[in-house]
Amino acid sequence: QAFLFTGVSGVVINADDTTYGGEIDVFTSPIDGLDVGLAASWFDAKVKNVPMRVNGPIVRDVRPVYAPRLQATAILRYGWEALRGRFSVGGDASYTSSFYYNLRNFSADRFGRVAMVNANMSYAFDGYDFTLGIRNLTNVHAGEQGFDLASFCGCNEVSYKPPRFIEFGVRYTF
């Protein structure tokens, strides 16, 4: 079953598809205090004979929605003991290839590929944990969700991931 957004609502259609994919995750601590992680996935899928209009005569094979072909993530973290506590610094980076947010796969309904980077540091002692992080370090403009409203208003409604922001946190564990 596939969800086809049309007008200001949607319908569920039955459609044949083919799906192939794979993923790999590797996490290691090669030296004391250092953590390294890598993950990647590949996804190849096709939804067959999707109507370009509900009950319309034109059909085509398309990619499923919110289904990027490639995704990858890397994480690097290092921690050490100092000043009666534990310091750590780290970061992560992720890559997502382009994907569609409407089953018809029109170019206006496509989010482009994006790479996002985050960084953080922390200090923990006696039950306290202080953290400072920067999310979306490179301030990329990354689409997250969209709705094709072309038949209603000739427009799309789109939401984006948050821009760069700094966060500070304090936690006490007892």
Side-chain angles (χ1 to χ4, degrees):
Q1 292 185 327
F3 181 79
L4 184 61
F5 196 73
T6 180
V8 292
S9 65
V11 295
V12 176
I13 61 171
N14 291 319
D16 291 332
D17 71 335
T18 57
T19 302
Y20 304 96
E23 62 183 66
I24 186 167
D25 295 301
V26 177
F27 193 84
T28 185
S29 298
I31 61 172
D32 189 40
L34 180 64
D35 297 321
V36 179
L38 299 170
S41 66
W42 167 74
F43 182 64
D44 186 23
K46 184 184 297 182
V47 183
K48 299 176 181 175
N49 299 317
V50 172
M52 293 297 100
R53 183 181 61 163
V54 176
N55 297 323
I58 301 172
V59 298
R60 69 179 188 160
D61 295 347
V62 296
R63 293 195 42 77
V65 296
Y66 300 104
R69 286 186 192 272
L70 297 172
Q71 291 183 296
T73 301
I75 183 171
L76 184 63
R77 180 177 51 224
Y78 183 70
W80 67 97
E81 304 291 327
L83 301 175
R84 296 185 298 135
R86 182 162 183 84
F87 284 92
S88 69
V89 294
D92 62 83
S94 62
Y95 170 80
T96 302
S97 64
S98 64
F99 61 90
Y100 294 96
Y101 58 85
N102 187 295
L103 192 57
R104 291 185 187 97
N105 287 188
F106 296 146
S107 60
D109 303 332
R110 181 175 167 263
F111 287 131
R113 63 181 182 238
V114 65
M116 191 166 289
V117 178
N118 303 305
N120 61 69
M121 56 191 229
S122 67
Y123 174 63
F125 75 101
D126 291 338
Y128 290 95
D129 190 4
F130 299 92
T131 60
L132 176 64
I134 302 175
R135 301 284 172 227
N136 193 358
L137 184 66
T138 55
N139 202 29
V140 296
H141 193 68
E144 189 168 42
Q145 185 174 11
F147 298 99
D148 179 356
L149 302 175
S151 62
F152 178 67
C153 63
C155 62
N156 287 355
E157 184 174 315
V158 176
S159 63
Y160 293 89
K161 292 184 179 187
R164 177 188 313 121
F165 68 94
I166 297 172
E167 59 187 0
F168 178 73
V170 178
R171 180 176 64 188
Y172 178 72
T173 305
F174 55 94

